[in-house]
């Protein structure tokens, strides 16, 4: 991913704190620290519609397998399995947050390098 991620100030601070508290793997922490260094911070009302954030429904494709998956991201502590939602602070949420439709995201998943293409982002 060559473009800087776009985050609201609240999500930026949440991720920064998450990394500081070492709630991610060292590899994820390094990636997130680099992304935060170059991230563009915006107000919630100025966040582009196609950027992954809280209250986004995202369709991603694993570029290796072609498998598509729809994910719904909500604030931390609000994810419910029965509603098919998950926290933006989950590993896949952290990988995708701030990225936009059309982006290719390279991220370690359970120690394995994976590559995802964001096909669609819809606000919930």
């Amino acid at each position: 991913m060559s473009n800087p991620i776009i985050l609201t100030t609240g999500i930026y601070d949440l991720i920064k704190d998450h990394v500081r508290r070492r709630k991610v793997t060292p590899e994820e922490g390094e990636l997130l620290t680099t992304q935060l260094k170059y991230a563009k911070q915006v107000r919630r009302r100025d966040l582009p519609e196609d950027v992954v954030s809280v209250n986004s429904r995202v369709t991603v494709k694993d570029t290796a397998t072609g498998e598509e998956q729809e994910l719904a991201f909500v604030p931390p502590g609000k994810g419910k399995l029965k509603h098919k939602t998950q926290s933006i602070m989950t590993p896949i949420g952290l990988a995708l947050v701030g990225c936009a439709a059309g982006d290719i995201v390279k991220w370690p998943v359970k120690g394995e390098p994976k590559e995802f293409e964001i096909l669609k982002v819809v606000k919930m």
Side-chain angles (χ1 to χ4, degrees):
M1 184 183 64
S2 60
N3 295 330
I5 59 174
I6 303 171
L7 302 170
T8 62
T9 302
I11 294 295
Y12 177 93
D13 291 341
L14 194 61
I15 294 170
K16 191 173 179 181
D17 186 59
H18 204 67
V19 171
R20 184 182 61 78
R21 293 174 183 249
R22 293 188 170 101
K23 293 187 176 188
V24 294
T25 66
E27 187 177 8
E28 290 170 331
E30 189 176 314
L31 288 168
L32 287 167
T33 300
T34 300
Q35 286 184 332
L36 291 175
K37 183 177 179 180
Y38 298 104
K40 178 180 178 186
Q41 292 184 57
V42 298
R43 293 184 177 139
R44 183 183 305 253
R45 70 176 180 246
D46 297 329
L47 188 70
E49 288 289 317
D50 67 341
V51 171
V52 178
S53 191
V54 173
N55 297 322
S56 295
R57 189 169 303 280
V58 183
T59 305
V60 296
K61 179 173 78 171
D62 183 319
T63 59
T65 65
E67 179 184 342
E68 290 185 18
Q69 184 178 8
E70 187 175 283
L71 307 163
F73 295 113
V74 294
K78 302 289 184 186
K80 302 268 190 249
L81 196 55
K82 69 180 181 179
H83 297 293
K84 297 182 181 175
T85 59
Q86 59 185 302
S87 167
I88 195 72
M89 300 307 287
T90 59
I92 190 68
L94 288 169
L96 301 175
V97 69
C99 299
D103 284 351
I104 303 289
V105 179
K106 295 176 184 176
W107 201 261
V109 177
K110 297 180 183 172
E112 299 284 325
K114 293 278 187 175
E115 187 175 273
F116 301 97
E117 179 180 2
I118 300 174
L119 301 176
K120 182 169 75 171
V121 179
V122 177
K123 299 298 177 201
M124 301 188 312

